[in-house]
Amino acid sequence: MNGPVQCEWVERPRSAWRALPAARTAAPLAAVTALLLGPPPAQMRGAAHVAPGAEKLLDAVVNISTNQTLKGSEGAPLPKVPKGAPFEEFFEDFFDRKGGRGPGDRKVSAQGSGFVIDGKEGLIVTNNHVIEGADEIIINFADGSKLKVDKVLGKDSKTDLALLKVTPKKPLAQVPFGASGKMKVGDWVMAIGNPFGLGGSVSVGIISAKQRDINTGPYDDYLQTDAAINKGNSGGPLFNMDGEVIGVNTAIISPTGGSIGIGFAVPSDAATIVVEQLRQFGETRRGWLGVNVQSITDDLAEAYGLKENVGALVASVAPEGPAAKAGILDGDVIVKFDGKDVTTMRGLPRLVSQTQIGKEVDVELLRKGQRRTVRVAIGRLVEDAKAAPAKTSKRVNPKSRGGKGNDKGGNIRPPGQSLIGLVLAPLTDDLRSKHGLGPNVKGVVVVDVDPASSAAQRQIKAGDVIVEVAQEAVTSIDDISKGIERVRTAGRNAVLLRVEDGKGDMRFVAVPIE
């Protein structure tokens, strides 16, 4: 397994447990080193006084066990394992635990971690994937007591967070959130959780990296740590040395399923916003700017004349959205949002989503080499649906209508002029029909691409429409030719094209000028 995995609990077969040999030479070697070199500097001695801090925090960290009924087909055969086979014990253990060998439904259980943020109200934070689909959720406390979850107050799949409610008989121990933004790479952290069902396990490490994108969702911004995090730690807290929660442990990268020192936690700065919304509304209410953005590649930075490939390039603007009302245009490069630098394309959606709905913010952008600032009133993002569709046109049946330029099989021969590896042609009814382009699409259509060209390497394909060249509208092949010549005269090595595909999606592409 090469990618990140969620660190939920799994039962290990008995054969997996092995005693570790004693490190017979460790103590003498350490003593000799200390005598020769003296004590290390304070910053190299590791986290001091971990035990007192961990002792105070253990009561607020909980183990979460869930039960779920899975629907099964009656009479479905179970695997048969020969008597005495190496995995006989594992299969017996597995299927007995999953509800026996009878037909029909079966119950499964799983475990994870969580932590109390409000002892009086009985509010507990965990991962969404820990409780997803559960019929029953039980909270197990460090003193051996148990409470059944009364209600899942809310959950958010995009950040993998959930907020649970129990009714405590007495106030529970609780822990506060800290500021993850203040953490630096190399700072000491402590994880407490329920790895492999071993509740109350404490591990210590450092922040290995920040702002990690591991491709689990649109708002990936993980803290990376080498503190031991295993399956079952999911939903548990990552503490700073002041006993504040600065992350919610969520995923690991491991080829074996065990810790190899690469774990990820949702930063508290993001988690506190989501948790507070779940507490107030039972759902997330994210900000919405109303733009589709793309990354600034080295080629695009060259085409735009930018010194660095930073910022978020606006590929399209939603009609009547907040950005459109503020005057943000296609082709603008957003470099700062509400006073915060936008260093990558993925950074902008995170900043926008965490902004209060209705708040007016300054957006700094580059337009044709000029820096300007616009004021935007942030709207509300409609989850799991587009709040306002991007500019699209009515599509027509892609089947050919016949007519001039068609061969007997109804395929349109690629006429037109070749530029930068693209065979281009004016839009006609036949070409619109062939490529499913609506009547409102304007520009020049690509009818063929040289497979060895730079344009092909940048995923331009037949059926794409060139709607702009060097941020100027295109109505003819001659417009493209003149645009390329202007870029060449300006001394740039790439021309900026704005391309629309058959689905109506817009993007900018920088194609080197041969």
Side-chain angles (χ1 to χ4, degrees), residues 119-133:
K120 292 182 179 180
E121 293 294 325
L123 302 184
I124 297 169
V125 173
T126 187
N127 280 147
N128 176 56
H129 77 258
V130 169
I131 54 92
E132 184 69 22

Side-chain angles (χ1 to χ4, degrees), residues 65-151:
S65 59
T66 66
N67 294 307
Q68 180 181 4
T69 301
L70 295 182
K71 299 294 182 181
S73 57
E74 288 210 9
L78 297 176
K80 293 182 179 180
V81 182
K83 201 70 177 174
F87 295 103
E88 177 188 8
E89 180 182 345
F90 170 76
F91 275 96
E92 291 287 342
D93 188 42
F94 179 83
F95 286 110
D96 285 346
R97 185 171 288 104
K98 298 304 182 183
R101 296 181 178 274
D105 298 347
R106 53 195 178 90
K107 287 190 174 183
V108 297
S109 61
Q111 298 189 36
S113 304
F115 55 98
V116 180
I117 61 168
D118 190 322
K120 292 182 179 180
E121 293 294 325
L123 302 184
I124 297 169
V125 173
T126 187
N127 280 147
N128 176 56
H129 77 258
V130 169
I131 54 92
E132 184 69 22
D135 301 321
E136 182 182 53
I137 307 171
I138 303 296
I139 306 299
N140 305 282
F141 296 90
D143 61 2
S145 62
K146 299 182 179 182
L147 287 175
K148 186 176 180 180
V149 169
D150 301 326
K151 183 179 181 181

Side-chain angles (χ1 to χ4, degrees), residues 25 163 187 195 213 244 386 389 391 416 434 453:
T25 60
L163 184 62
D187 281 347
D213 175 10
E244 298 170 328
K386 292 184 178 179
K391 298 175 182 178
K434 176 180 175 63
S453 67

Side-chain angles (χ1 to χ4, degrees), residues 315-481:
S316 63
V317 180
E320 304 302 321
K325 293 176 181 178
I328 295 177
L329 303 176
D330 305 335
D332 287 345
V333 178
I334 297 176
V335 294
K336 188 172 287 190
F337 178 88
D338 196 18
K340 303 178 182 67
D341 291 332
V342 178
T343 56
T344 64
M345 178 271 288
R346 290 184 65 88
L348 181 63
R350 287 196 297 267
L351 292 173
V352 174
S353 68
Q354 296 172 8
T355 304
Q356 182 180 352
I357 298 168
K359 180 181 178 181
E360 291 191 353
V361 300
D362 288 330
V363 177
E364 192 171 319
L365 52 86
L366 294 173
R367 179 180 298 166
K368 295 185 178 180
Q370 301 297 316
R371 189 176 291 259
R372 61 178 66 195
T373 300
V374 298
R375 191 93 172 150
V376 184
I378 299 301
R380 181 183 174 184
L381 176 68
V382 178
E383 298 286 353
D384 301 320
K386 292 184 178 179
K391 298 175 182 178
T392 56
S393 304
K394 183 179 179 181
R395 303 298 170 195
V396 296
N397 192 323
K399 294 182 179 179
S400 176
R401 299 172 182 169
K404 294 182 180 181
N406 285 14
D407 58 25
K408 293 182 179 180
N411 296 318
I412 301 174
R413 295 186 299 271
Q417 182 178 347
S418 180
L419 290 169
I420 55 175
L422 302 173
V423 180
L424 305 168
L427 276 169
T428 63
D429 289 343
D430 288 331
L431 287 172
R432 290 182 189 275
S433 177
K434 176 180 175 63
H435 298 295
L437 302 171
N440 297 326
V441 177
K442 297 179 180 179
V444 174
V445 66
V446 177
V447 293
D448 200 9
V449 182
D450 180 355
S453 67
S454 298
Q457 295 175 7
R458 284 151 181 79
Q459 307 302 314
I460 298 179
K461 60 187 182 301
D464 286 344
V465 177
I466 310 299
V467 297
E468 286 183 8
V469 58
Q471 295 186 275
E472 298 291 341
V474 165
T475 59
S476 66
I477 298 175
D478 190 50
D479 289 338
I480 297 178
S481 179

